[in-house]
Amino acid sequence: MTGDQTEALIGMLVTFGLLVLMVLPSVIGIVREKRVDRQLREAQESEGARKETQKSSSRSTVPSTATWYAEGRRSKKLVNS
């Protein structure tokens, strides 16, 4: 190999190295996005399976005694002032 060929080889390797350095962040981002998408999809699938196994409660949602008491106290304060 002559000096010119060595310089050309070094130039090509440097150019290839710069190309890799410029493309690497994009590739890392794409891989990360695909991993997050896969995790979200798995979470949605497991949540859907969990919802299918859950049974809904037949009890109606009625406020507790403490809530009724607090509501009465608030309304009395508003009337008195």
Side-chain angles (χ1 to χ4, degrees):
M1 255 165 91
T2 64
D4 290 337
Q5 290 175 333
T6 306
E7 283 184 30
L9 181 62
I10 291 172
M12 286 189 334
L13 290 175
V14 168
T15 303
F16 182 71
L18 288 174
L19 177 68
V20 168
L21 285 176
M22 292 176 66
V23 171
L24 190 63
S26 297
V27 171
I28 291 171
I30 291 169
V31 169
R32 185 174 294 167
E33 285 293 321
K34 287 194 178 278
R35 188 185 74 222
V36 169
D37 288 343
R38 180 179 44 83
Q39 289 173 343
L40 286 173
R41 189 171 44 253
E42 288 173 357
Q44 286 176 344
E45 288 172 0
S46 67
E47 184 178 318
R50 197 175 327 138
K51 280 185 180 180
E52 289 175 3
T53 59
Q54 273 184 343
K55 295 181 180 177
S56 64
S57 175
S58 60
R59 287 181 47 193
S60 64
T61 54
V62 178
S64 67
T65 306
T67 307
W68 286 101
Y69 179 74
E71 287 294 325
R73 302 262 311 163
R74 275 193 223 115
S75 63
K76 287 180 185 175
K77 285 182 181 178
L78 292 174
V79 172
N80 290 339
S81 59

